Amino acid sequence: MAENTIDIQKLENIFDNMVNVMDQSKNDIFTISEQSRQAFQEMQTEVAVIKEEISRVITEGDYLEDMTRHSRRRLADVSKNFMNYSEEEVRQAYEAANDLLVRLSINRMEEKQLRVRRDELDRRIAALLETIDKADHLVNQVTTVITYLTSDLKKVGEALETARQKQEFAIQIIQAQEEERKRLSRDIHDGPAQMLANVLLRSGLIEKTFTEKGPNEALSELHQLKEMVRNALLEVRRIIYDLRPMALDDLGLIPTLRKYSSTVMEYEKGSSIHFMNNGTEKRLESNIEVALFRLVQECISNALKHGNSRDVWVKVEWLRDTMNIVVKDNGKGFDLTQTKDKSFGIIGMRERVELLKGEMKIMSTIGNGTTVLFRIPLQENIIVE
């Protein structure tokens, strides 16, 4: 039994940890995205500088290429007309041509290196753009999931609270069953058992009275004994009626509710139960009628015991495919936002209504009484012809 018990606190902790981990993961992904964007901007700036350098090197290279062609023509002319130039002029022509050739070679190498660096940056920029897109997509997905979870956190909390209430409800059912057994045992002991014991004593007394005082005195005692037996019988019937009204099986829901209303007014002096039935009554399956009877019984009991009501109105309305039950009282009412021990009865009623696939609505304010509405669908499979 213990192994199947739901630890609600652990479920809440797991859910909170899951949301926190996802939120931290979103922050980490966002950090990666921002770092990638910063690197992207830096690389774009570097690429712009490199492109300017490439443009400058190409312009310089074009100039050096023109100068190299010119120096080569000059060197060719000097070499061809060697006798017309001095040795110094020949040397200068040769050095100029060689210097321009070296500068042009360096220029071409620098241009190649700049182009390689530019291409490498372009590839890295493309990879960064892909990383940024993926990071943004992941951030959006995680944000959507977190938003979904956190927006539904209240519903999850309500579901967990419902699970906790059901768990507590199951425990309270066991306790209530034990309390009911104690109450029943006490009622039988204090009521019919004591009365029957008195009947036994009185019967012996009647026999003695008849012997000692004659039949007239014995007859008087017999009348008193008859009244005691009648009271004992009424008490036994009351106990049996509280366990399960036999009239439900014989007469149906509406007559049983009428009889119950009258019985309550007999036991609760000063209280008035106003019962009204609208529409054509239908006989329902036995377990359905019992459940509906218990709902009304619980409402009346709550109104009298917890609400200190003196008047309770019960209205049953039969529609084509729906049955409406309204129980209204003029008691002290209660705050629906406050959860107290008395909510055990409300939880029990909600459980019954859920089993009947119906709806339950409670309207109450402090000082203005309470109204409970049950709307039960009348499915064909629960109606007894």
Side-chain angles (χ1 to χ4, degrees):
M1 180 70 178
E3 294 178 356
N4 296 327
T5 302
I6 300 175
D7 192 330
I8 304 300
Q9 187 60 47
K10 284 186 178 180
L11 289 178
E12 290 178 344
N13 292 338
I14 291 172
F15 184 84
D16 291 339
N17 290 336
M18 179 181 67
V19 173
N20 291 334
V21 169
M22 294 187 69
D23 191 55
Q24 183 59 47
S25 299
K26 184 195 75 172
N27 293 335
D28 293 341
I29 297 171
F30 182 76
T31 301
I32 294 173
S33 176
E34 289 303 304
Q35 291 175 347
S36 299
R37 290 181 191 278
Q38 185 178 355
F40 173 75
Q41 293 174 354
E42 292 174 353
M43 288 183 186
Q44 277 192 321
T45 302
E46 186 177 355
V47 167
V49 172
I50 289 176
K51 287 182 177 180
E52 290 179 0
E53 285 292 309
I54 290 175
S55 179
R56 180 190 62 77
V57 169
I58 289 175
T59 302
E60 183 181 351
D62 291 342
Y63 171 76
L64 289 173
E65 191 170 353
D66 289 341
M67 291 298 295
T68 299
R69 283 196 297 268
H70 179 71
S71 67
R72 284 179 178 177
R73 285 194 298 270
R74 169 68 175 170
L75 182 59
D77 182 63
V78 170
S79 298
K80 183 178 179 181
N81 301 294
F82 179 77
M83 299 301 295
N84 296 330
Y85 296 95
S86 65
E87 182 179 350
E88 181 63 25
E89 288 176 331
V90 172
R91 185 181 62 79
Q92 288 179 355
Y94 176 79
E95 288 180 354
N98 187 65
D99 180 63
L100 287 170
L101 185 62
V102 171
R103 288 173 60 189
L104 181 60
S105 176
I106 293 173
N107 177 271
R108 295 293 185 238
M109 185 178 296
E110 184 178 1
E111 180 184 353
K112 182 178 180 181
Q113 290 175 346
L114 288 172
R115 288 182 182 276
V116 170
R117 177 60 179 167
R118 182 199 62 188
D119 294 342
E120 180 185 355
L121 287 174
D122 286 341
R123 287 191 296 271
R124 291 179 61 185
I125 286 174
L128 278 175
L129 284 175
E130 186 177 354
T131 300
I132 291 171
D133 288 341
K134 289 182 179 179
D136 289 344
H137 184 64
L138 283 174
V139 168
N140 290 334
Q141 285 184 325
V142 175
T143 301
T144 301
V145 173
I146 292 176
T147 301
Y148 176 80
L149 289 175
T150 53
S151 64
D152 284 355
L153 182 59
K154 182 179 179 181
K155 293 181 180 179
V156 173
E158 290 175 354
L160 292 175
E161 182 63 23
T162 300
R164 179 187 289 110
Q165 289 178 350
K166 287 184 177 180
Q167 184 178 11
E168 294 174 355
F169 182 54
I171 295 173
Q172 288 177 313
I173 284 176
I174 297 174
Q175 294 174 343
Q177 288 174 338
E178 291 302 317
E179 290 297 325
E180 185 65 15
R181 290 189 179 98
K182 290 180 182 179
R183 184 193 66 79
L184 184 60
S185 174
R186 184 172 59 251
D187 286 348
I188 294 175
H189 178 270
D190 296 341
Q194 291 289 344
M195 291 178 178
L196 290 175
N198 289 334
V199 166
L200 182 62
L201 291 175
R202 269 296 175 87
S203 62
L205 181 61
I206 290 173
E207 184 179 358
K208 183 177 180 181
T209 301
F210 181 81
T211 303
E212 295 178 355
K213 297 182 179 181
N216 290 332
E217 291 292 332
L219 185 61
S220 176
E221 290 291 337
L222 186 62
H223 285 310
Q224 295 182 23
L225 176 63
K226 183 179 179 181
E227 186 64 24
M228 290 181 62
V229 172
R230 180 182 292 108
N231 292 333
L233 181 60
L234 288 174
E235 186 66 14
V236 170
R237 285 177 175 174
R238 183 189 68 81
I239 294 173
I240 294 174
Y241 191 86
D242 286 342
L243 291 175
R244 177 183 170 90
M246 290 182 292
L248 268 176
D249 297 325
D250 298 332
L251 304 177
L253 179 64
I254 299 304
T256 304
L257 287 176
R258 291 187 191 276
K259 183 177 177 62
Y260 174 72
S261 300
S262 300
T263 304
V264 170
M265 288 189 288
E266 291 177 7
Y267 293 134
E268 298 288 340
K269 301 300 182 183
S271 64
S272 297
I273 311 298
H274 310 278
F275 184 82
M276 180 184 300
N277 178 60
N278 291 335
T280 304
E281 177 190 356
K282 299 179 178 66
R283 287 302 306 268
L284 308 176
E285 287 187 359
S286 176
N287 58 334
I288 303 297
E289 290 187 338
V290 170
L292 294 174
F293 175 81
R294 294 303 183 197
L295 289 174
V296 176
Q297 184 184 40
E298 182 70 24
C299 289
I300 294 176
S301 176
N302 288 340
L304 297 177
K305 293 181 180 179
H306 301 299
N308 296 330
S309 306
R310 292 296 89 193
D311 289 277
V312 181
W313 293 266
V314 180
K315 179 180 178 181
V316 181
E317 184 180 28
W318 299 87
L319 303 178
R320 186 171 63 87
D321 54 2
T322 308
M323 176 186 186
N324 295 328
I325 301 176
V326 180
V327 183
K328 180 180 178 181
D329 65 65
N330 61 353
K332 62 183 182 181
F334 64 97
D335 187 353
L336 289 171
T337 62
Q338 299 296 320
T339 302
K340 299 181 180 179
D341 291 339
K342 65 183 180 183
S343 64
F344 167 65
I346 296 176
I347 294 173
M349 288 192 294
R350 290 195 187 280
E351 290 286 327
R352 291 184 186 274
V353 173
E354 287 179 7
L355 291 174
L356 297 174
K357 296 181 172 54
E359 300 176 8
M360 170 181 168
K361 185 176 182 180
I362 301 176
M363 295 157 284
S364 182
T365 54
I366 295 178
N368 293 319
T370 301
T371 300
V372 185
L373 168 63
F374 303 104
R375 183 174 287 108
I376 309 299
L378 296 177
Q379 303 172 5
E380 293 184 0
N381 59 338
I382 69 170
I383 299 176
V384 179
E385 299 296 339

